[in-house]
Amino acid sequence: MIGYYILIGAIALVSWLVSSKLKSKFDEYSHVHLRNGLSGAEIAQQMLNDHGIYDVRVISTPGQLTDHYNPTDKTVNLSESVYNQRNASAAAVSAHECGHAVQHATAYNMLQLRSQLVPIVNVSSTLSQWLIFGGLILGAAAGFGFGFYIAVIGLVLMAIATTFSFITLPVEYDASNRALAWLKNKNMLSQQEYAGAEDALKWAARTYVVAAIGALASLLYWALQVFGGSREE
């Protein structure tokens, strides 16, 4: 268990460092005001219109970095700072979330796959560790008994959640690429503003990379505990 806590601690530290860097980047580029004077909400609406998407609403949501696209009710949810502000950070976030709306409208296969996994992951992420812990306690390390199979079921559920984390990566990177391509092709931003938006989205994507690596490391650790222990017998 000590090894697990060291692993979790290391992942948590890296995640904190990346998140802190992301926040500092967004704060930095929030001071780069747009020459076109458009707010995040206005940029989002224009990107949707340019892609022929008229059934998606752009709404404001409370909090900071709470921005997301909801495919269920077709809404681009922008945090209050992004929705109202007129800077490079707001432009990057609003265009990125609209990138997800474009993915939805064009039936982007990775987004569809991720959406299909959401209800499964909501269950598996909650149950997986409990099943693994329970299986190990029941004697998974002692051989191929009842406890072992319980732990394996937990590993399968954890593997689904880990797969979801990796499927999220191309979805997020693709949304950013769509956003940046539109911002550039439509000359929405100056060179300085575009550089800031691009850098901010790169750091945002890295948070998903860290999460995916952390999920994989955790899965491998518990797999070694379950299968390694059973081989000792």
Side-chain angles (χ1 to χ4, degrees):
M1 287 298 293
I2 294 178
Y4 177 69
Y5 289 128
I6 293 175
L7 173 66
I8 293 300
I11 293 171
L13 176 61
V14 173
S15 179
W16 177 80
L17 290 173
V18 173
S19 296
S20 296
K21 187 69 173 181
L22 171 63
K23 290 179 180 178
S24 69
K25 287 291 184 179
F26 271 91
D27 180 65
E28 175 185 351
Y29 299 129
S30 68
H31 294 90
V32 179
H33 299 289
L34 301 184
R35 62 177 181 179
N36 59 25
L38 295 177
S39 67
E42 292 168 336
I43 287 175
Q45 192 61 63
Q46 187 164 334
M47 182 171 174
L48 292 174
N49 293 342
D50 285 347
H51 285 85
I53 301 173
Y54 302 106
D55 59 347
V56 172
R57 294 180 298 121
V58 180
I59 63 177
S60 177
T61 187
Q64 185 179 19
L65 297 179
T66 52
D67 313 87
H68 64 281
Y69 171 67
N70 188 335
T72 303
D73 60 7
K74 291 189 175 182
T75 55
V76 171
N77 298 262
L78 302 179
S79 58
E80 294 169 348
S81 58
V82 171
Y83 188 91
N84 296 307
Q85 295 302 309
R86 307 168 190 274
N87 53 57
S89 290
V93 173
S94 59
H96 172 86
E97 298 307 332
C98 286
H100 288 307
V102 175
Q103 289 174 336
H104 190 194
T106 57
Y108 178 58
N109 58 350
M110 297 303 287
L111 178 67
Q112 290 181 318
L113 179 58
R114 187 177 74 167
S115 298
Q116 292 169 356
L117 287 176
V118 167
I120 301 174
V121 172
N122 287 340
V123 176
S124 65
S125 59
T126 302
L127 292 179
S128 59
Q129 283 199 348
W130 289 107
L131 290 173
I132 293 172
F133 286 149
L136 290 174
I137 291 172
L138 288 172
F144 290 88
F146 177 72
F148 173 80
Y149 292 112
I150 292 295
V152 168
I153 292 172
L155 283 175
V156 171
L157 294 178
M158 184 175 287
I160 293 173
T162 301
T163 301
F164 180 84
S165 296
F166 279 91
I167 290 174
T168 295
L169 294 181
V171 173
E172 294 301 326
Y173 274 97
D174 180 77
S176 290
N177 289 337
R178 291 174 189 265
L180 291 170
W182 177 79
L183 289 170
K184 186 173 185 178
N185 293 337
K186 294 295 182 177
N187 294 314
M188 296 296 295
L189 306 179
S190 68
Q191 186 174 354
Q192 179 191 12
E193 294 162 359
Y194 181 85
E198 183 179 33
D199 192 34
L201 289 180
K202 283 182 178 179
W203 279 100
R206 285 167 185 159
T207 62
Y208 292 100
V209 173
V210 172
I213 293 174
L216 178 60
S218 184
L219 174 64
L220 293 176
Y221 174 86
W222 287 114
L224 286 174
Q225 300 308 302
V226 174
F227 293 108
S230 65
R231 284 198 302 269
E232 291 175 2
E233 287 297 310

